[in-house]
Amino acid sequence: MTTTLITGANKGLGKETARLLVGVGHTVWLGARDEERGRAAAAEIGAHFVQLDVTDDASVAAALARIEAEGGLDVLVNNAGVAMRAGAAGGEALDGPSALAVFDTNAVGIIRVTEAALPLLRKSDNPVVVNVCSALGSFWATHEPSRPASRFPAIVYGSSKAAVSMLTVQYAKAVREVKFNAVEPGITATELGGGGIESHPGRPAAVSAEVVARLADIGPDGPTGTFQEDAGELGW
Ligand SMILES: NC(=O)c1ccc[n+]([C@@H]2O[C@H](COP(=O)([O-])OP(=O)(O)OC[C@H]3O[C@@H](n4cnc5c(N)ncnc54)[C@H](OP(=O)(O)O)[C@@H]3O)[C@@H](O)[C@H]2O)c1
């Protein structure tokens, strides 16, 4: 039996990844910062709700303590993320507080949750971490003219996702007993950016979640220290 925690899973890619993993037999802890929306999503797909705000150390510690008490953890999917904030003149907000908020959720949140989860993961026979990244966090894709990421300006969001890429590389080197991979889910219709249901353009979240679920369900011989998308490995 595989037990999996997914952060930011009350909607979007996180929820669809949770649905797919429940479908292949994982016991899924659906992490959400809002209790009401998290409980509703968990009930809908047959997961267990756990309150978890990735920017709040106490919330992260309480969530992992509960998961440990209920039997431990094999797989962590660091999915919670926020888009760039809108600036007063349109475009991306490039002030300190806005940048700190984006980095706090997208990058520091991964360190908080991963560090709290590692003692549990180290007890698993097949410990796996998936970091939901973005092509905007790939130096290769942002320099490759054929890739949309090379044409989409995202100073704060893109650099926060580049931090997610390097967190994946560094954790994979530092913690050899756990497999760490980054995923580019593809451009997906979600609420990323806060404009309402499917306000972010793209393909359905249920389609993009397949590559996230695939990396969450790798066996003991699966990859580590890679960046993956639908078609296979993506350049860093
Ligand atoms: N959509 C795309 O095209 C795309 C492309 C590449 C990568 N991604 C990445 O995919 C991941 C999921 O995004 P999405 O597109 O599914 O957007 P979404 O529908 O907005 O989902 C984001 C999730 O993260 C949660 N979240 C935000 N801040 C949090 C916090 N402090 N603690 C816990 N949860 C928090 C949100 O919870 P609330 O409901 O409470 O806000 C929500 O459940 C993100 O990491 C995003 O950067 C998305």
Side-chain angles (χ1 to χ4, degrees):
M1 182 60 104
T2 302
T3 301
T4 299
L5 167 63
I6 307 175
T7 65
N10 52 287
K11 64 185 180 185
L13 283 159
K15 182 178 170 188
E16 295 310 319
T17 301
R19 195 193 304 274
L20 289 172
L21 291 175
V22 168
V24 295
H26 288 218
T27 297
V28 173
W29 287 95
L30 184 150
R33 55 182 169 178
D34 182 90
E35 177 160 359
E36 197 176 324
R37 286 183 287 122
R39 281 196 189 284
E44 179 191 324
I45 64 175
H48 305 275
F49 164 73
V50 64
Q51 199 281 335
L52 200 167
D53 182 335
V54 303
T55 65
D56 180 340
D57 290 303
S59 163
V60 172
L64 272 298
R66 176 156 173 230
I67 292 168
E68 183 170 33
E70 304 234 5
L73 188 69
D74 303 292
V75 179
L76 167 63
V77 180
N78 284 311
N79 166 78
V82 290
M84 60 189 75
R85 291 188 167 187
E92 191 177 10
L94 293 169
D95 57 278
S98 298
L100 281 170
V102 173
F103 270 81
D104 196 14
T105 304
N106 292 1
V108 182
I110 288 184
I111 298 174
R112 278 192 196 94
V113 180
T114 302
E115 288 301 314
L118 274 176
L120 286 67
L121 292 169
R122 285 190 167 110
K123 292 180 189 159
S124 167
D125 292 338
N126 184 29
V128 170
V129 176
V130 180
N131 292 329
V132 179
C133 194
S134 168
L136 291 166
S138 157
F139 284 88
W140 173 77
T142 51
H143 288 80
E144 169 50 51
S146 68
R147 303 285 306 212
S150 70
R151 301 183 292 276
F152 189 80
I155 292 173
V156 175
Y157 179 79
S159 53
S160 77
K161 289 297 188 180
V164 176
S165 301
M166 187 55 82
L167 283 167
T168 309
V169 170
Q170 292 292 338
Y171 267 119
K173 287 178 184 287
V175 187
R176 300 269 183 195
E177 65 273 31
V178 179
K179 290 182 281 296
F180 288 86
N181 293 288
V183 172
E184 142 66 344
I187 301 171
T188 310
T190 64
E191 291 185 38
L192 197 67
I197 293 172
E198 298 193 354
S199 54
H200 188 283
R203 64 188 186 177
V207 175
S208 296
E210 284 176 18
V211 64
V212 185
R214 174 159 62 80
L215 268 296
D217 198 38
I218 57 175
D221 297 330
T224 188
T226 70
F227 198 168
Q228 306 261 350
E229 61 180 349
D230 288 345
E233 279 199 45
L234 180 75
W236 292 108

